[in-house]
Amino acid sequence: MKGPQLAFYAAVIAALIAFPLAVENSYYIHLVETIMIYAIVLFGLTSSSATPARCRSVTPACSVSARTPPACW
């Protein structure tokens, strides 16, 4: 991982840890928790559905002319 990318991830994790300490309203804390749970589920479903691999299995090379969309769309 590169330095700026690592610093960004560290800042995001620190913000998520500090959020419940800074916000006293339990509604906003619950809202952020729910969004984070849905984000984890979304990323899990995206990786388990193997969308990029489906493109390779349908056609050997997803390259066609610029006028027509690829068959893997």
Side-chain angles (χ1 to χ4, degrees):
M1 229 183 263
K2 298 182 182 179
Q5 187 178 15
L6 184 61
F8 173 73
Y9 288 138
V12 169
I13 291 172
L16 288 175
I17 291 172
F19 182 75
L21 302 174
V23 176
E24 296 179 6
N25 192 344
S26 63
Y27 173 75
Y28 292 124
I29 295 172
H30 174 71
L31 189 66
V32 169
E33 289 176 358
T34 305
I35 290 170
M36 293 306 298
I37 289 171
Y38 283 135
I40 292 169
V41 170
L42 175 70
F43 289 130
L45 289 174
T46 301
S47 64
S48 67
S49 66
T51 304
R54 189 177 337 132
C55 176
R56 286 187 297 257
S57 65
V58 171
T59 59
C62 286
S63 60
V64 293
S65 68
R67 291 180 289 172
T68 59
C72 59
W73 279 4

Short mmCIF file of all heavy atoms in Angstrom, two decimals:
data_model
loop_
_atom_site.label_atom_id
_atom_site.label_comp_id
_atom_site.label_asym_id
_atom_site.label_seq_id
_atom_site.Cartn_x
_atom_site.Cartn_y
_atom_site.Cartn_z
N MET A 1 0.84 -1.16 0.00
CA MET A 1 0.00 0.00 0.00
C MET A 1 0.89 1.24 0.00
O MET A 1 1.89 1.28 0.68
CB MET A 1 -0.88 -0.03 1.24
CG MET A 1 -2.32 0.22 0.94
SD MET A 1 -3.32 0.28 2.41
CE MET A 1 -3.95 -1.37 2.44
N LYS A 2 0.48 2.22 -0.70
CA LYS A 2 1.25 3.46 -0.77
C LYS A 2 0.95 4.34 0.44
O LYS A 2 -0.07 4.19 1.11
CB LYS A 2 0.92 4.19 -2.06
CG LYS A 2 1.30 3.39 -3.28
CD LYS A 2 1.01 4.16 -4.54
CE LYS A 2 1.39 3.27 -5.71
NZ LYS A 2 1.15 3.88 -6.97
N GLY A 3 1.85 5.27 0.70
CA GLY A 3 1.74 6.13 1.87
C GLY A 3 0.47 6.95 1.94
O GLY A 3 -0.23 6.92 2.96
N PRO A 4 0.11 7.70 0.89
CA PRO A 4 -1.13 8.50 0.96
C PRO A 4 -2.39 7.64 1.08
O PRO A 4 -3.33 8.02 1.77
CB PRO A 4 -1.13 9.28 -0.35
CG PRO A 4 0.29 9.31 -0.79
CD PRO A 4 0.90 8.04 -0.29
N GLN A 5 -2.37 6.49 0.43
CA GLN A 5 -3.54 5.61 0.51
C GLN A 5 -3.68 5.04 1.92
O GLN A 5 -4.79 4.97 2.46
CB GLN A 5 -3.41 4.48 -0.51
CG GLN A 5 -4.63 3.62 -0.62
CD GLN A 5 -4.47 2.54 -1.68
OE1 GLN A 5 -3.38 2.26 -2.14
NE2 GLN A 5 -5.57 1.92 -2.04
N LEU A 6 -2.56 4.67 2.52
CA LEU A 6 -2.58 4.16 3.88
C LEU A 6 -3.03 5.24 4.86
O LEU A 6 -3.81 4.97 5.78
CB LEU A 6 -1.19 3.64 4.26
CG LEU A 6 -1.06 2.99 5.63
CD1 LEU A 6 -1.96 1.77 5.72
CD2 LEU A 6 0.38 2.62 5.90
N ALA A 7 -2.57 6.46 4.65
CA ALA A 7 -2.98 7.57 5.51
C ALA A 7 -4.48 7.85 5.38
O ALA A 7 -5.15 8.15 6.37
CB ALA A 7 -2.18 8.81 5.16
N PHE A 8 -5.01 7.73 4.16
CA PHE A 8 -6.45 7.94 3.96
C PHE A 8 -7.26 6.89 4.70
O PHE A 8 -8.24 7.20 5.39
CB PHE A 8 -6.77 7.91 2.47
CG PHE A 8 -8.24 7.95 2.17
CD1 PHE A 8 -8.96 9.12 2.34
CD2 PHE A 8 -8.91 6.81 1.75
CE1 PHE A 8 -10.33 9.15 2.08
CE2 PHE A 8 -10.26 6.84 1.49
CZ PHE A 8 -10.97 8.01 1.65
N TYR A 9 -6.86 5.61 4.57
CA TYR A 9 -7.58 4.55 5.26
C TYR A 9 -7.49 4.69 6.78
O TYR A 9 -8.47 4.45 7.50
CB TYR A 9 -7.06 3.18 4.83
CG TYR A 9 -7.46 2.79 3.42
CD1 TYR A 9 -6.56 2.18 2.57
CD2 TYR A 9 -8.73 3.04 2.94
CE1 TYR A 9 -6.91 1.83 1.28
CE2 TYR A 9 -9.10 2.70 1.66
CZ TYR A 9 -8.18 2.09 0.84
OH TYR A 9 -8.54 1.75 -0.43
N ALA A 10 -6.34 5.11 7.27
CA ALA A 10 -6.18 5.33 8.70
C ALA A 10 -7.09 6.46 9.18
O ALA A 10 -7.69 6.37 10.25
CB ALA A 10 -4.73 5.62 9.03
N ALA A 11 -7.21 7.52 8.38
CA ALA A 11 -8.08 8.64 8.74
C ALA A 11 -9.55 8.23 8.74
O ALA A 11 -10.32 8.65 9.62
CB ALA A 11 -7.86 9.81 7.79
N VAL A 12 -9.95 7.40 7.78
CA VAL A 12 -11.34 6.94 7.73
C VAL A 12 -11.66 6.06 8.93
O VAL A 12 -12.71 6.22 9.57
CB VAL A 12 -11.61 6.19 6.40
CG1 VAL A 12 -12.94 5.47 6.43
CG2 VAL A 12 -11.56 7.16 5.24
N ILE A 13 -10.75 5.16 9.26
CA ILE A 13 -10.98 4.29 10.42
C ILE A 13 -11.01 5.10 11.71
O ILE A 13 -11.85 4.87 12.59
CB ILE A 13 -9.91 3.18 10.47
CG1 ILE A 13 -10.13 2.21 9.31
CG2 ILE A 13 -9.94 2.44 11.80
CD1 ILE A 13 -9.04 1.19 9.14
N ALA A 14 -10.12 6.09 11.83
CA ALA A 14 -10.12 6.95 13.02
C ALA A 14 -11.42 7.75 13.11
O ALA A 14 -11.97 7.93 14.20
CB ALA A 14 -8.92 7.88 12.98
N ALA A 15 -11.93 8.22 11.98
CA ALA A 15 -13.20 8.97 11.98
C ALA A 15 -14.36 8.08 12.40
O ALA A 15 -15.25 8.51 13.13
CB ALA A 15 -13.44 9.57 10.61
N LEU A 16 -14.35 6.82 11.93
CA LEU A 16 -15.43 5.91 12.31
C LEU A 16 -15.37 5.55 13.79
O LEU A 16 -16.41 5.38 14.44
CB LEU A 16 -15.36 4.63 11.46
CG LEU A 16 -15.78 4.80 10.01
CD1 LEU A 16 -15.54 3.50 9.24
CD2 LEU A 16 -17.23 5.19 9.92
N ILE A 17 -14.16 5.45 14.33
CA ILE A 17 -14.03 5.16 15.76
C ILE A 17 -14.44 6.37 16.59
O ILE A 17 -15.09 6.24 17.63
CB ILE A 17 -12.59 4.73 16.07
CG1 ILE A 17 -12.31 3.35 15.46
CG2 ILE A 17 -12.34 4.69 17.58
CD1 ILE A 17 -10.88 2.91 15.54
N ALA A 18 -14.09 7.57 16.13
CA ALA A 18 -14.38 8.78 16.90
C ALA A 18 -15.82 9.25 16.74
O ALA A 18 -16.30 10.06 17.54
CB ALA A 18 -13.43 9.90 16.47
N PHE A 19 -16.53 8.77 15.73
CA PHE A 19 -17.89 9.26 15.47
C PHE A 19 -18.83 9.06 16.67
O PHE A 19 -19.51 10.01 17.07
CB PHE A 19 -18.46 8.59 14.23
CG PHE A 19 -19.83 9.07 13.86
CD1 PHE A 19 -20.00 10.30 13.27
CD2 PHE A 19 -20.95 8.30 14.13
CE1 PHE A 19 -21.27 10.77 12.95
CE2 PHE A 19 -22.20 8.75 13.82
CZ PHE A 19 -22.37 9.99 13.22
N PRO A 20 -18.89 7.86 17.27
CA PRO A 20 -19.80 7.72 18.42
C PRO A 20 -19.40 8.56 19.62
O PRO A 20 -20.23 8.91 20.45
CB PRO A 20 -19.73 6.23 18.76
CG PRO A 20 -19.19 5.57 17.57
CD PRO A 20 -18.33 6.58 16.88
N LEU A 21 -18.11 8.90 19.73
CA LEU A 21 -17.66 9.73 20.84
C LEU A 21 -18.02 11.20 20.63
O LEU A 21 -18.24 11.93 21.60
CB LEU A 21 -16.14 9.59 21.01
CG LEU A 21 -15.64 8.16 21.25
CD1 LEU A 21 -14.12 8.13 21.24
CD2 LEU A 21 -16.19 7.61 22.55
N ALA A 22 -18.09 11.62 19.38
CA ALA A 22 -18.37 13.02 19.07
C ALA A 22 -19.85 13.32 18.96
O ALA A 22 -20.29 14.43 19.23
CB ALA A 22 -17.66 13.42 17.77
N VAL A 23 -20.65 12.34 18.56
CA VAL A 23 -22.08 12.55 18.34
C VAL A 23 -22.85 11.91 19.49
O VAL A 23 -22.66 10.74 19.80
CB VAL A 23 -22.51 11.94 16.99
CG1 VAL A 23 -24.01 12.06 16.79
CG2 VAL A 23 -21.76 12.60 15.86
N GLU A 24 -23.71 12.68 20.10
CA GLU A 24 -24.48 12.16 21.23
C GLU A 24 -25.85 11.63 20.83
O GLU A 24 -26.48 10.91 21.60
CB GLU A 24 -24.63 13.25 22.29
CG GLU A 24 -23.30 13.66 22.89
CD GLU A 24 -23.46 14.76 23.92
OE1 GLU A 24 -24.61 15.11 24.24
OE2 GLU A 24 -22.44 15.26 24.40
N ASN A 25 -26.30 11.97 19.66
CA ASN A 25 -27.62 11.54 19.21
C ASN A 25 -27.56 10.08 18.77
O ASN A 25 -26.84 9.73 17.83
CB ASN A 25 -28.10 12.43 18.05
CG ASN A 25 -29.55 12.23 17.74
OD1 ASN A 25 -30.16 11.26 18.15
ND2 ASN A 25 -30.11 13.17 16.99
N SER A 26 -28.30 9.23 19.41
CA SER A 26 -28.24 7.79 19.11
C SER A 26 -28.82 7.47 17.73
O SER A 26 -28.46 6.45 17.14
CB SER A 26 -28.96 6.99 20.19
OG SER A 26 -30.34 7.33 20.20
N TYR A 27 -29.70 8.33 17.23
CA TYR A 27 -30.25 8.10 15.90
C TYR A 27 -29.16 8.15 14.83
O TYR A 27 -29.10 7.30 13.94
CB TYR A 27 -31.34 9.13 15.58
CG TYR A 27 -31.84 9.03 14.16
CD1 TYR A 27 -32.69 8.00 13.77
CD2 TYR A 27 -31.45 9.96 13.21
CE1 TYR A 27 -33.13 7.89 12.46
CE2 TYR A 27 -31.88 9.87 11.91
CZ TYR A 27 -32.73 8.84 11.54
OH TYR A 27 -33.16 8.74 10.25
N TYR A 28 -28.28 9.15 14.92
CA TYR A 28 -27.21 9.28 13.93
C TYR A 28 -26.20 8.15 14.06
O TYR A 28 -25.67 7.66 13.06
CB TYR A 28 -26.51 10.64 14.06
CG TYR A 28 -27.40 11.79 13.67
CD1 TYR A 28 -27.64 12.82 14.54
CD2 TYR A 28 -27.99 11.83 12.42
CE1 TYR A 28 -28.46 13.88 14.18
CE2 TYR A 28 -28.81 12.87 12.04
CZ TYR A 28 -29.04 13.90 12.93
OH TYR A 28 -29.86 14.93 12.56
N ILE A 29 -25.94 7.71 15.26
CA ILE A 29 -25.02 6.59 15.46
C ILE A 29 -25.62 5.33 14.82
O ILE A 29 -24.93 4.59 14.12
CB ILE A 29 -24.73 6.38 16.95
CG1 ILE A 29 -23.97 7.60 17.49
CG2 ILE A 29 -23.95 5.09 17.18
CD1 ILE A 29 -23.79 7.59 18.99
N HIS A 30 -26.90 5.09 15.06
CA HIS A 30 -27.56 3.93 14.47
C HIS A 30 -27.59 4.03 12.94
O HIS A 30 -27.39 3.03 12.24
CB HIS A 30 -28.99 3.82 15.01
CG HIS A 30 -29.79 2.75 14.35
ND1 HIS A 30 -29.55 1.41 14.55
CD2 HIS A 30 -30.82 2.81 13.48
CE1 HIS A 30 -30.40 0.69 13.82
NE2 HIS A 30 -31.18 1.53 13.17
N LEU A 31 -27.80 5.23 12.43
CA LEU A 31 -27.84 5.43 10.98
C LEU A 31 -26.49 5.09 10.35
O LEU A 31 -26.43 4.37 9.33
CB LEU A 31 -28.23 6.87 10.68
CG LEU A 31 -28.53 7.22 9.23
CD1 LEU A 31 -29.77 6.50 8.76
CD2 LEU A 31 -28.72 8.72 9.11
N VAL A 32 -25.41 5.55 10.93
CA VAL A 32 -24.07 5.25 10.39
C VAL A 32 -23.77 3.76 10.51
O VAL A 32 -23.22 3.15 9.58
CB VAL A 32 -23.01 6.10 11.11
CG1 VAL A 32 -21.60 5.63 10.77
CG2 VAL A 32 -23.16 7.56 10.74
N GLU A 33 -24.15 3.13 11.61
CA GLU A 33 -23.94 1.69 11.77
C GLU A 33 -24.70 0.91 10.70
O GLU A 33 -24.16 -0.04 10.11
CB GLU A 33 -24.39 1.23 13.15
CG GLU A 33 -23.51 1.68 14.27
CD GLU A 33 -24.05 1.29 15.62
OE1 GLU A 33 -25.16 0.70 15.69
OE2 GLU A 33 -23.38 1.57 16.62
N THR A 34 -25.93 1.29 10.44
CA THR A 34 -26.73 0.60 9.43
C THR A 34 -26.12 0.77 8.04
O THR A 34 -26.04 -0.19 7.27
CB THR A 34 -28.17 1.12 9.45
OG1 THR A 34 -28.69 1.00 10.77
CG2 THR A 34 -29.05 0.35 8.48
N ILE A 35 -25.68 1.96 7.72
CA ILE A 35 -25.05 2.20 6.41
C ILE A 35 -23.79 1.37 6.27
O ILE A 35 -23.53 0.78 5.21
CB ILE A 35 -24.77 3.71 6.24
CG1 ILE A 35 -26.08 4.46 6.07
CG2 ILE A 35 -23.85 3.95 5.05
CD1 ILE A 35 -25.94 5.97 6.11
N MET A 36 -22.99 1.28 7.32
CA MET A 36 -21.76 0.48 7.27
C MET A 36 -22.07 -1.00 7.10
O MET A 36 -21.38 -1.72 6.37
CB MET A 36 -20.91 0.72 8.52
CG MET A 36 -20.36 2.12 8.62
SD MET A 36 -19.45 2.65 7.16
CE MET A 36 -18.13 1.50 7.14
N ILE A 37 -23.10 -1.50 7.76
CA ILE A 37 -23.48 -2.91 7.60
C ILE A 37 -23.91 -3.18 6.17
O ILE A 37 -23.51 -4.17 5.55
CB ILE A 37 -24.59 -3.28 8.60
CG1 ILE A 37 -24.00 -3.32 10.01
CG2 ILE A 37 -25.22 -4.63 8.25
CD1 ILE A 37 -25.04 -3.46 11.10
N TYR A 38 -24.74 -2.29 5.61
CA TYR A 38 -25.16 -2.48 4.23
C TYR A 38 -23.99 -2.38 3.25
O TYR A 38 -23.96 -3.07 2.24
CB TYR A 38 -26.25 -1.47 3.85
CG TYR A 38 -27.61 -1.81 4.39
CD1 TYR A 38 -28.42 -0.85 4.97
CD2 TYR A 38 -28.09 -3.12 4.30
CE1 TYR A 38 -29.67 -1.17 5.45
CE2 TYR A 38 -29.34 -3.44 4.79
CZ TYR A 38 -30.12 -2.47 5.37
OH TYR A 38 -31.35 -2.79 5.85
N ALA A 39 -23.02 -1.52 3.54
CA ALA A 39 -21.84 -1.42 2.68
C ALA A 39 -21.03 -2.71 2.72
O ALA A 39 -20.56 -3.18 1.67
CB ALA A 39 -20.97 -0.24 3.12
N ILE A 40 -20.87 -3.30 3.89
CA ILE A 40 -20.14 -4.57 3.99
C ILE A 40 -20.87 -5.67 3.23
O ILE A 40 -20.26 -6.45 2.50
CB ILE A 40 -19.94 -4.94 5.47
CG1 ILE A 40 -18.97 -3.96 6.12
CG2 ILE A 40 -19.44 -6.37 5.61
CD1 ILE A 40 -18.90 -4.07 7.63
N VAL A 41 -22.18 -5.72 3.36
CA VAL A 41 -22.96 -6.73 2.64
C VAL A 41 -22.87 -6.50 1.13
O VAL A 41 -22.71 -7.45 0.36
CB VAL A 41 -24.44 -6.70 3.10
CG1 VAL A 41 -25.31 -7.55 2.21
CG2 VAL A 41 -24.54 -7.17 4.54
N LEU A 42 -22.93 -5.25 0.70
CA LEU A 42 -22.84 -4.93 -0.72
C LEU A 42 -21.50 -5.38 -1.30
O LEU A 42 -21.45 -6.00 -2.36
CB LEU A 42 -23.03 -3.44 -0.94
CG LEU A 42 -22.83 -2.95 -2.37
CD1 LEU A 42 -23.97 -3.44 -3.24
CD2 LEU A 42 -22.75 -1.45 -2.39
N PHE A 43 -20.40 -5.07 -0.61
CA PHE A 43 -19.08 -5.47 -1.11
C PHE A 43 -18.94 -6.99 -1.10
O PHE A 43 -18.32 -7.56 -1.99
CB PHE A 43 -17.97 -4.82 -0.30
CG PHE A 43 -17.85 -3.35 -0.55
CD1 PHE A 43 -17.80 -2.46 0.52
CD2 PHE A 43 -17.79 -2.85 -1.83
CE1 PHE A 43 -17.69 -1.10 0.29
CE2 PHE A 43 -17.68 -1.49 -2.07
CZ PHE A 43 -17.64 -0.62 -1.00
N GLY A 44 -19.52 -7.65 -0.13
CA GLY A 44 -19.48 -9.11 -0.08
C GLY A 44 -20.25 -9.73 -1.23
O GLY A 44 -19.79 -10.69 -1.86
N LEU A 45 -21.41 -9.19 -1.53
CA LEU A 45 -22.19 -9.73 -2.64
C LEU A 45 -21.54 -9.44 -3.98
O LEU A 45 -21.60 -10.26 -4.90
CB LEU A 45 -23.61 -9.14 -2.62
CG LEU A 45 -24.52 -9.63 -1.51
CD1 LEU A 45 -25.83 -8.86 -1.53
CD2 LEU A 45 -24.76 -11.11 -1.63
N THR A 46 -20.90 -8.29 -4.08
CA THR A 46 -20.22 -7.95 -5.33
C THR A 46 -19.07 -8.91 -5.59
O THR A 46 -18.89 -9.39 -6.70
CB THR A 46 -19.70 -6.50 -5.28
OG1 THR A 46 -20.81 -5.64 -5.06
CG2 THR A 46 -19.01 -6.13 -6.57
N SER A 47 -18.30 -9.22 -4.56
CA SER A 47 -17.16 -10.12 -4.75
C SER A 47 -17.62 -11.56 -4.93
O SER A 47 -16.97 -12.33 -5.63
CB SER A 47 -16.20 -10.01 -3.58
OG SER A 47 -16.83 -10.45 -2.40
N SER A 48 -18.73 -11.95 -4.31
CA SER A 48 -19.18 -13.34 -4.45
C SER A 48 -19.90 -13.59 -5.77
O SER A 48 -19.97 -14.73 -6.23
CB SER A 48 -20.10 -13.72 -3.29
OG SER A 48 -21.30 -12.98 -3.38
N SER A 49 -20.43 -12.54 -6.40
CA SER A 49 -21.12 -12.75 -7.67
C SER A 49 -20.14 -12.89 -8.83
O SER A 49 -20.52 -13.35 -9.89
CB SER A 49 -22.09 -11.61 -7.95
OG SER A 49 -21.39 -10.42 -8.16
N ALA A 50 -18.90 -12.48 -8.64
CA ALA A 50 -17.82 -12.65 -9.63
C ALA A 50 -18.21 -12.03 -10.97
O ALA A 50 -18.12 -12.66 -12.01
CB ALA A 50 -17.44 -14.10 -9.76
N THR A 51 -18.62 -10.81 -10.96
CA THR A 51 -19.02 -10.13 -12.19
C THR A 51 -17.90 -10.06 -13.22
O THR A 51 -18.14 -10.35 -14.39
CB THR A 51 -19.54 -8.72 -11.87
OG1 THR A 51 -20.61 -8.86 -10.93
CG2 THR A 51 -20.04 -8.03 -13.11
N PRO A 52 -16.65 -9.73 -12.89
CA PRO A 52 -15.61 -9.71 -13.92
C PRO A 52 -15.32 -11.09 -14.51
O PRO A 52 -15.02 -11.22 -15.68
CB PRO A 52 -14.38 -9.19 -13.18
CG PRO A 52 -14.92 -8.46 -12.03
CD PRO A 52 -16.18 -9.16 -11.65
N ALA A 53 -15.43 -12.13 -13.71
CA ALA A 53 -15.18 -13.48 -14.22
C ALA A 53 -16.26 -13.91 -15.21
O ALA A 53 -16.00 -14.67 -16.14
CB ALA A 53 -15.10 -14.47 -13.07
N ARG A 54 -17.47 -13.44 -15.04
CA ARG A 54 -18.55 -13.79 -15.96
C ARG A 54 -18.24 -13.27 -17.35
O ARG A 54 -18.55 -13.90 -18.36
CB ARG A 54 -19.87 -13.22 -15.46
CG ARG A 54 -21.04 -13.73 -16.24
CD ARG A 54 -22.40 -13.27 -15.76
NE ARG A 54 -22.46 -12.86 -14.39
CZ ARG A 54 -23.03 -11.72 -14.00
NH1 ARG A 54 -23.57 -10.92 -14.86
NH2 ARG A 54 -23.06 -11.40 -12.73
N CYS A 55 -17.62 -12.13 -17.46
CA CYS A 55 -17.26 -11.56 -18.75
C CYS A 55 -16.29 -12.48 -19.49
O CYS A 55 -16.43 -12.69 -20.68
CB CYS A 55 -16.64 -10.19 -18.56
SG CYS A 55 -16.07 -9.43 -20.07
N ARG A 56 -15.32 -13.03 -18.79
CA ARG A 56 -14.36 -13.91 -19.43
C ARG A 56 -14.98 -15.23 -19.85
O ARG A 56 -14.58 -15.83 -20.82
CB ARG A 56 -13.19 -14.17 -18.49
CG ARG A 56 -12.28 -12.99 -18.37
CD ARG A 56 -11.08 -13.37 -17.58
NE ARG A 56 -11.45 -13.76 -16.23
CZ ARG A 56 -11.31 -13.01 -15.16
NH1 ARG A 56 -10.78 -11.84 -15.27
NH2 ARG A 56 -11.68 -13.43 -13.98
N SER A 57 -15.99 -15.71 -19.11
CA SER A 57 -16.57 -17.01 -19.45
C SER A 57 -17.54 -16.91 -20.63
O SER A 57 -17.74 -17.88 -21.33
CB SER A 57 -17.27 -17.61 -18.24
OG SER A 57 -18.38 -16.81 -17.89
N VAL A 58 -18.14 -15.74 -20.85
CA VAL A 58 -19.09 -15.59 -21.95
C VAL A 58 -18.36 -15.49 -23.27
O VAL A 58 -18.68 -16.17 -24.23
CB VAL A 58 -19.99 -14.35 -21.72
CG1 VAL A 58 -20.83 -14.07 -22.94
CG2 VAL A 58 -20.86 -14.57 -20.52
N THR A 59 -17.38 -14.66 -23.33
CA THR A 59 -16.62 -14.48 -24.57
C THR A 59 -15.14 -14.60 -24.25
O THR A 59 -14.70 -14.18 -23.17
CB THR A 59 -16.89 -13.10 -25.20
OG1 THR A 59 -16.54 -12.10 -24.26
CG2 THR A 59 -18.32 -12.96 -25.61
N PRO A 60 -14.36 -15.16 -25.13
CA PRO A 60 -12.93 -15.28 -24.85
C PRO A 60 -12.25 -13.93 -24.72
O PRO A 60 -11.37 -13.77 -23.92
CB PRO A 60 -12.38 -16.07 -26.03
CG PRO A 60 -13.46 -16.12 -27.04
CD PRO A 60 -14.74 -15.74 -26.39
N ALA A 61 -12.64 -12.97 -25.49
CA ALA A 61 -12.07 -11.63 -25.38
C ALA A 61 -13.21 -10.64 -25.57
O ALA A 61 -13.90 -10.65 -26.58
CB ALA A 61 -11.02 -11.41 -26.45
N CYS A 62 -13.41 -9.80 -24.60
CA CYS A 62 -14.52 -8.84 -24.65
C CYS A 62 -14.12 -7.62 -25.47
O CYS A 62 -14.26 -6.49 -25.04
CB CYS A 62 -14.92 -8.42 -23.25
SG CYS A 62 -15.82 -9.67 -22.38
N SER A 63 -13.60 -7.84 -26.63
CA SER A 63 -13.23 -6.71 -27.46
C SER A 63 -14.03 -6.79 -28.76
O SER A 63 -14.01 -7.78 -29.47
CB SER A 63 -11.74 -6.73 -27.76
OG SER A 63 -11.41 -7.91 -28.44
N VAL A 64 -14.76 -5.75 -29.01
CA VAL A 64 -15.53 -5.63 -30.24
C VAL A 64 -15.31 -4.23 -30.79
O VAL A 64 -14.60 -3.43 -30.21
CB VAL A 64 -17.04 -5.88 -29.99
CG1 VAL A 64 -17.27 -7.32 -29.60
CG2 VAL A 64 -17.58 -4.95 -28.95
N SER A 65 -15.92 -3.94 -31.87
CA SER A 65 -15.74 -2.62 -32.45
C SER A 65 -16.36 -1.55 -31.55
O SER A 65 -17.16 -1.84 -30.68
CB SER A 65 -16.39 -2.56 -33.84
OG SER A 65 -17.78 -2.65 -33.72
N ALA A 66 -15.99 -0.32 -31.76
CA ALA A 66 -16.48 0.78 -30.93
C ALA A 66 -17.95 1.07 -31.14
O ALA A 66 -18.58 1.72 -30.33
CB ALA A 66 -15.65 2.03 -31.21
N ARG A 67 -18.52 0.60 -32.24
CA ARG A 67 -19.92 0.89 -32.52
C ARG A 67 -20.88 0.01 -31.73
O ARG A 67 -22.00 0.38 -31.49
CB ARG A 67 -20.19 0.74 -34.01
CG ARG A 67 -19.51 1.83 -34.83
CD ARG A 67 -19.81 1.66 -36.28
NE ARG A 67 -19.05 0.47 -36.72
CZ ARG A 67 -19.16 -0.09 -37.90
NH1 ARG A 67 -19.99 0.38 -38.78
NH2 ARG A 67 -18.41 -1.12 -38.22
N THR A 68 -20.46 -1.18 -31.37
CA THR A 68 -21.36 -2.09 -30.64
C THR A 68 -20.81 -2.33 -29.25
O THR A 68 -19.60 -2.38 -29.05
CB THR A 68 -21.46 -3.44 -31.37
OG1 THR A 68 -20.16 -4.02 -31.46
CG2 THR A 68 -22.05 -3.27 -32.75
N PRO A 69 -21.69 -2.47 -28.26
CA PRO A 69 -21.21 -2.73 -26.91
C PRO A 69 -20.65 -4.16 -26.80
O PRO A 69 -21.05 -5.04 -27.57
CB PRO A 69 -22.46 -2.57 -26.05
CG PRO A 69 -23.59 -2.78 -26.96
CD PRO A 69 -23.13 -2.33 -28.32
N PRO A 70 -19.76 -4.40 -25.87
CA PRO A 70 -19.22 -5.74 -25.73
C PRO A 70 -20.29 -6.72 -25.28
O PRO A 70 -21.29 -6.34 -24.67
CB PRO A 70 -18.15 -5.59 -24.66
CG PRO A 70 -18.02 -4.16 -24.37
CD PRO A 70 -19.13 -3.43 -25.03
N ALA A 71 -20.08 -7.98 -25.59
CA ALA A 71 -21.06 -9.00 -25.22
C ALA A 71 -21.11 -9.24 -23.72
O ALA A 71 -22.06 -9.83 -23.23
CB ALA A 71 -20.72 -10.30 -25.95
N CYS A 72 -20.10 -8.81 -23.00
CA CYS A 72 -20.07 -9.06 -21.57
C CYS A 72 -20.77 -7.98 -20.77
O CYS A 72 -20.70 -7.98 -19.56
CB CYS A 72 -18.63 -9.24 -21.10
SG CYS A 72 -17.60 -7.82 -21.42
N TRP A 73 -21.40 -7.01 -21.39
CA TRP A 73 -22.12 -5.99 -20.64
C TRP A 73 -23.41 -6.51 -20.16
O TRP A 73 -24.24 -7.07 -20.61
CB TRP A 73 -22.32 -4.74 -21.47
CG TRP A 73 -21.10 -3.89 -21.48
CD1 TRP A 73 -19.89 -4.14 -20.93
CD2 TRP A 73 -20.97 -2.62 -22.12
NE1 TRP A 73 -19.03 -3.13 -21.17
CE2 TRP A 73 -19.65 -2.19 -21.91
CE3 TRP A 73 -21.82 -1.84 -22.86
CZ2 TRP A 73 -19.20 -0.99 -22.38
CZ3 TRP A 73 -21.35 -0.66 -23.33
CH2 TRP A 73 -20.04 -0.23 -23.09
#
